[in-house]
Each structure stands twice: as C-alpha cells, then as structure tokens.
C-alpha cells in the first residue's frame, strides 16, 4: 500500500515540493569563481559554432587540461588562460579573438 501524506489545508503539492527543495544546502560560489566561469563560458559560446558544441567543450573531461575546462577555468586565472588558449587554437583562423 502507498503511504498517505498529510497535506496542510490550502497547501498544494507544488508548494510542498518548493519548500522541500528550498531547504537543501547549496554551496555558494565565491564571486571571483563565478566571474571566471562566466568569462570562459562566454568565450566558448562566442568561439564555437553552436550552443551544444560549447556546452560539450566546457563539460567534457580533457586530458591535456587535466579536467573539465569549466572546472579548470573556475580554479584560477591561470586556468582561464589555459582554457582560453585551447579555445583560440580550436577557432577558425578568420574568427580569432584578440
């Protein structure tokens, strides 16, 4: 038999779901980490042919970088430079960013 859930009068299941998930602990990123992620994500979206290619690049493990590009870039400014260099190498010669 299924469990019976007690719902407060006037509460909808959507409200209960929101409350349940709102209470979960989230790790907040430092502003400088967010800035580095944003910088490299923007460059990937501008440099690569389409959204799917950019997302795949950012989230796929890369042996030469030693991790996912988004993680490498998030870790430090040196990581941003390494990923930027990799993106520039992948770009067509006519679309190079200065």
């Amino acid at each position: 038999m299924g469990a019976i859930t007690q719902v407060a009068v006037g509460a909808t299941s959507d409200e209960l779901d929101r409350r349940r998930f709102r209470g979960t602990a989230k790790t907040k990123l430092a502003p400088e980490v967010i800035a580095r992620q944003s910088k490299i994500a923007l460059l990937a979206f501008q440099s690569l042919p389409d959204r799917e290619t950019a997302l795949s690049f950012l989230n796929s493990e890369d042996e030469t970088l030693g991790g996912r590009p988004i993680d490498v870039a998030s870790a430090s400014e040196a990581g941003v430079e390494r990923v930027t260099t990799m993106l520039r190498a992948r770009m067509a010669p006519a679309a190079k960013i200065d």
Side-chain angles (χ1 to χ4, degrees):
M1 284 235 146
I4 297 175
T5 303
Q6 188 174 21
V7 178
V9 175
T12 66
S13 61
D14 288 341
E15 291 170 1
L16 293 174
D17 287 342
R18 276 196 301 271
R19 262 187 260 139
R20 180 174 17 148
F21 291 111
R22 188 178 302 147
T24 59
K26 293 182 182 178
T27 303
K28 293 195 177 192
L29 297 175
E32 59 273 8
V33 173
I34 294 170
R36 289 191 295 264
Q37 280 186 350
S38 298
K39 182 178 180 178
I40 207 63
L42 180 61
L43 183 60
F45 285 116
Q46 290 174 337
S47 304
L48 299 172
D50 56 49
R51 183 177 190 274
E52 290 75 29
T53 305
L55 288 172
S56 178
F57 169 78
L58 291 168
N59 292 300
S60 297
E61 290 288 325
D62 187 282
E63 268 187 42
T64 59
L65 288 174
R68 298 182 323 149
I70 194 72
D71 294 335
V72 172
S74 297
S76 66
E77 280 301 320
V80 171
E81 290 304 316
R82 290 176 58 211
V83 176
T84 299
T85 299
M86 179 175 271
L87 275 169
R88 287 185 176 154
R90 294 178 114 196
M91 292 170 52
K96 292 263 185 203
I97 295 176
D98 293 317

